Amino acid sequence: MAAGLQRLNVSLDSLRRDCVASISGSDSLEQVLQGLSVARAAGFSSIKINMVPLAGINDRDIDAMLAYCKAHGFILRLIEAMPMGHTGQQADGLDLSQLLHSLSQRHGLTPSAVSLGARPRYWQSPDGSCTLGLITPMSQHFCASCNRVRLSVDGTLYMCLGQEEKLALRPLLRAGCSDAELEAAIRAAIELKPEKHEFIQQPQQVVRFMSMTGG
């Protein structure tokens, strides 16, 4: 937090240990929950839990996830399944619009004031204690208003999850570039940000697993 980081996004698709291990390939539920507890204690002002609902796998866990987030002051965000594997095939995701309707009825959720344009949309309970977000890059993409870039663990700056435009920052930093030179390189890379992803038109072109880029 001393470096200016105030918000966290954490991927967690279930509160069931076996389900988390099956989806992520790692028996990591306890570590994730412990990390969330430490982050909250450290004073992070916004912690979002990203969940990808999959039919027959973790769809029955959504209410429990929502209750967990409400109890701890987190925001639950449901993310539409995307074709981010090497096969380019879309996972068996759920219709988030239908899911939202049933969740809204059960939990009294109404559209939040922070739901602007086609960006990720949010719903809240009347007392504001429960917040649910929907991210729909497939059925209702928000590419026109996207201002995100992603920095991977190896120092590569990706302009889009679904395209290959990127900038390798590690060689610049190891060469001792100045802050001004680094800023100029990043600004030049931003100009390469593509108009939109092509998950639907060309799913076969996606060559990175989501974990290689980060959410």
Side-chain angles (χ1 to χ4, degrees):
M1 293 183 65
L5 181 64
Q6 298 179 342
R7 299 178 295 174
L8 290 177
N9 293 350
V10 177
S11 293
L12 181 62
D13 293 301
S14 175
L15 292 174
R16 292 183 292 121
R17 180 178 176 181
D18 60 333
C19 186
V20 170
S22 175
I23 292 175
S24 68
S26 172
D27 185 10
S28 56
L29 176 60
E30 292 303 320
Q31 293 95 316
V32 174
L33 295 180
Q34 182 179 5
L36 287 169
S37 179
V38 170
R40 186 180 60 166
F44 280 94
S45 59
S46 176
I47 298 177
K48 299 182 179 72
I49 307 297
N50 291 338
M51 176 184 186
V52 180
L54 300 171
I57 298 177
N58 65 342
D59 50 341
R60 64 187 174 95
D61 300 326
I62 298 173
D63 284 288
M65 290 287 291
L66 196 57
Y68 169 78
C69 289
K70 179 179 179 179
H72 293 85
F74 304 148
I75 296 172
L76 178 64
R77 302 199 302 182
L78 303 181
I79 302 179
E80 201 169 39
M82 295 178 283
M84 295 300 293
H86 290 308
T87 62
Q89 297 298 314
Q90 184 176 356
D92 190 12
L94 300 176
D95 185 326
L96 295 191
S97 296
Q98 293 183 2
L99 182 59
L100 172 66
H101 179 70
S102 61
L103 289 172
S104 297
Q105 288 186 323
R106 291 200 298 273
H107 299 279
L109 303 176
T110 57
S112 169
V114 299
S115 297
L116 302 175
R119 293 175 181 270
R121 297 160 291 152
Y122 292 92
W123 282 258
Q124 287 185 320
S125 59
D127 62 0
S129 64
C130 180
T131 302
L132 175 72
L134 292 189
I135 301 179
T136 53
M138 300 293 290
S139 61
Q140 293 177 296
H141 74 74
F142 42 93
C143 295
S145 59
C146 176
N147 61 359
R148 303 297 178 89
V149 295
R150 289 169 172 82
L151 181 62
S152 68
V153 294
D154 66 356
T156 302
L157 192 67
Y158 289 96
M159 304 301 115
C160 175
L161 280 176
Q163 303 286 9
E164 288 302 302
E165 286 81 358
K166 61 188 176 182
L167 168 67
L169 296 175
R170 182 165 54 182
L172 297 175
L173 294 171
R174 289 186 172 179
C177 69
S178 65
D179 288 349
E181 291 170 331
L182 181 61
E183 179 180 346
I186 293 175
R187 287 183 177 275
I190 296 297
E191 294 296 325
L192 300 177
K193 188 170 176 61
E195 178 183 5
K196 60 182 180 180
H197 65 66
E198 296 180 320
F199 288 137
I200 296 176
Q201 297 91 336
Q202 299 188 69
Q204 72 281 355
Q205 78 172 20
V206 179
V207 296
R208 298 188 308 274
F209 285 111
M210 180 70 77
S211 60
M212 295 175 66
T213 307

